[in-house]
Amino acid sequence: MRSVAMSVAVADPGNPWLNYKISSLRYRLFMKMSDFASSGSKIFVFLDAHPDSTKNSAFGVWMSDPSHPDNAYIFDVPASYHNGACGYSFMDGHCETHRWRDARTIVPTCYDGLIPLGVTNPRSVDALWITEHASILN
């Protein structure tokens, strides 16, 4: 089982989630270092992924619109190995552990790969946190 995934916002030109049109807003896809500009300390590249959510090596992010929190999504599920928290590494090289605040983000591990993906999590502060750290507006 894989336990680490890479954000689809980084070097994944076929990413349908990041380019999803939300309230006429488009999010940046990072294809080269200069695309990060001054946002590198905010954008994650790798994270601990939930083992039942790792169908491939990409961590899908369905961008949640902060102005419509009832439509928040968790597409791929992050891990919660660290006492309800997940490890992230960011483009600028720093790492941090982020503790989940919404119980719906902490999904039990079954090691069967059958976890549902693309789950709506209305008003999930965790879905919004993932969005804020996956990309920036173009």
Side-chain angles (χ1 to χ4, degrees), residues 6-70:
M6 184 172 174
S7 170
V8 294
V10 181
D12 187 352
N15 171 13
W17 304 285
L18 202 64
N19 294 320
Y20 181 70
K21 195 169 188 176
I22 299 173
S23 303
S24 304
L25 305 176
R26 294 276 184 182
Y27 289 86
R28 183 173 299 172
L29 182 61
F30 303 96
M31 297 299 289
K32 54 189 184 234
M33 293 297 290
S34 60
D35 292 340
F36 287 93
S38 62
S39 61
S41 65
K42 179 182 174 185
I43 305 300
F44 75 86
V45 179
F46 295 102
L47 75 155
D48 292 329
H50 192 291
D52 294 323
S53 179
T54 53
K55 309 275 186 281
N56 55 41
S57 59
F59 185 83
V61 178
W62 192 283
M63 300 305 284
S64 299
D65 184 348
S67 64
H68 296 95
D70 287 335

